[in-house]
Structure formats: C-alpha cells, structure tokens
Amino acid sequence: MNVLVIGANGQVGRKIVKELADSNHKATAMVRKEEQVDKLKEIGADNVVLANLEEDFSSAFDDVDAVIFAAGSGGSTGADKTMTVDLYGSIKAVDYAMDKGVKRFVQLSSVGSANPDEQEDKIKHYMVAKGVADRHLQQTDLDYTIVRPGPLSNDEAKGEIKISHEFPDIGDGSIPRADVAHILVDVLDRNNTYRKAFEVIEGEKEVGEVLETV
C-alpha cells in the first residue's frame, strides 16, 4: 500500500517512515516545510507532499491506499494548537479519507483519551481533543485502528508490549517511540485490528504475538 503519513516530521512520524521503508509498503510523507522534504526522502519516504494540517490538505490523499495519522501538539503548545492539530486536523483527515475512498486509517492517540474527565486538569484539553477525534473516527465506516500509547520515551525499541482496552492505572507504563512506530505500521495488515481501539505500554510479550490478540 501507499501509506500517507501525517505528521511525518515528528519524532514518531520519522520512525514510521523508516518502518515503512523496511516493509512491503510505500511511504508518502506529509510535511509543512520545503526544507523538510530532502530529510524525509533520505530516511526512506518514497514521496513527500507539502501540506498544512491547519489548512486544506485534501490533495495529500490523492493516490494513497492508507493513512497513518501521527500528528500531534503533545499537549504542551496550548489549547489553540491542540484544537487545530490534534482535534480538527484529525477530523479533517478522516473526512478527506472518506471523500477520497481511502478505507484504511490508523490513528495515533493517547492513553487516557477514552475517558478525558478522569485526567489531570493540566492535560484535560489535550485528552478531550484526542478523545473527540477518536470518537469521530469510530463513527465512520472506515477500517480504522486507534493506538493509544502510554507516555512516550526515547529509549531503544524493546519490542515487547502489553495492551488493554483501558488500563486502570498505567503507573510507570511508558513505551519507546520506536515501538509505537512499529505498532502503527504492523497493524496496517492485521484485519483483526480493524475497528478497534487499544491502549499500549511496554510489556513482556513480543509485539506481533500481542497484536494477534487484539
């Protein structure tokens, strides 16, 4: 498949592009700036499109077969960016996919987004944005998978995870960005993950073995 990676220049996005380069799929990287184009091609993107999440980016969906939405403000840039990127950016991407007949849609969300009311006040706006974006996707007929990782780290990939519909208490349940990128690419071909949402943190079982149980 030709996979559109939205948020390709982000920390997880770049790892997704590298994962796709090592898979049977092609990566179309969506970036905002011309100076990012060569960098993405160097790490494995087959194609790079210039588009801005805060504008009309429907043209990025031409000739693609699947989408991985990995864009995000991280919750630290204020409510404005969270609304325009994490919430409305995701909603527009879902709507563009439906308009262009792109059925496979993988979304990077966040642990806790299924129940924003239980999150701390300082990140509640971020969790609300992620949660509402997820629900919009879940109300479509797209073949979606929503991956909700725990706190992200820059540790080396461990390749071992555990998943849940919703962890009661994640504690120190972080997960390396490299493992998250691997999961987002791995689920593309797993029909058992269609129309599913799950939380994921570092664990004790190999990624492929765990994803078979989704």
Side-chain angles (χ1 to χ4, degrees):
M1 291 185 288
N2 181 19
V3 183
L4 175 64
V5 182
I6 300 175
N9 195 54
Q11 293 186 74
V12 176
R14 291 192 296 271
K15 296 181 187 300
I16 292 170
V17 171
K18 291 178 181 178
E19 286 279 342
L20 287 168
D22 292 332
S23 74
N24 295 323
H25 302 300
K26 296 180 179 180
T28 292
M30 180 177 138
V31 298
R32 288 189 303 121
K33 300 177 181 179
E34 183 73 43
E35 56 263 33
Q36 297 168 341
V37 172
D38 289 343
K39 182 195 307 180
L40 270 297
K41 288 184 176 179
E42 287 172 5
I43 64 175
D46 296 274
N47 185 36
V48 182
V49 294
L50 288 172
N52 190 334
L53 270 174
E54 298 180 83
E55 299 173 0
D56 183 336
F57 58 100
S58 57
S59 61
F61 288 73
D62 294 339
D63 302 317
V64 301
D65 306 297
V67 177
I68 298 179
F69 186 93
S73 66
S76 61
T77 55
D80 289 348
K81 284 292 181 184
T82 302
M83 292 300 105
T84 57
V85 173
D86 299 89
L87 176 55
Y88 195 40
S90 171
I91 288 174
K92 288 192 292 184
V94 169
D95 292 348
Y96 294 151
M98 290 191 293
D99 290 343
K100 297 294 181 78
V102 181
K103 287 286 290 183
R104 188 71 177 111
F105 199 106
V106 178
Q107 177 141 292
L108 174 59
S109 185
S110 173
V111 68
S113 61
N115 200 345
D117 285 340
E118 293 188 3
Q119 310 310 314
E120 298 178 18
D121 287 344
K122 64 181 180 180
I123 61 168
K124 186 166 288 188
H125 67 286
Y126 176 71
M127 291 299 182
V128 168
K130 288 294 189 185
V132 173
D134 289 352
R135 290 171 191 172
H136 178 72
L137 176 55
Q138 290 171 312
Q139 290 168 358
T140 72
D141 63 356
L142 297 180
D143 294 328
Y144 67 79
T145 304
I146 299 171
V147 179
R148 295 168 171 156
L152 303 177
S153 76
N154 288 320
D155 295 343
E156 292 293 322
K158 182 179 179 182
E160 295 179 332
I161 61 172
K162 61 181 176 181
I163 63 173
S164 174
H165 173 67
E166 187 173 355
F167 288 111
D169 182 7
I170 65 167
D172 294 325
S174 63
I175 183 170
R177 287 180 171 86
D179 282 329
V180 173
H182 179 72
I183 293 165
L184 293 168
V185 173
D186 194 310
V187 298
L188 281 169
D189 294 317
R190 293 183 182 272
N191 293 4
N192 65 298
T193 68
Y194 284 12
R195 304 191 66 76
K196 302 286 180 62
F198 59 89
E199 295 187 348
V200 57
I201 57 177
E202 190 174 297
E204 298 79 35
K205 293 185 178 181
E206 191 269 335
V207 171
E209 178 184 354
V210 176
L211 292 180
E212 287 177 0
T213 69
V214 175

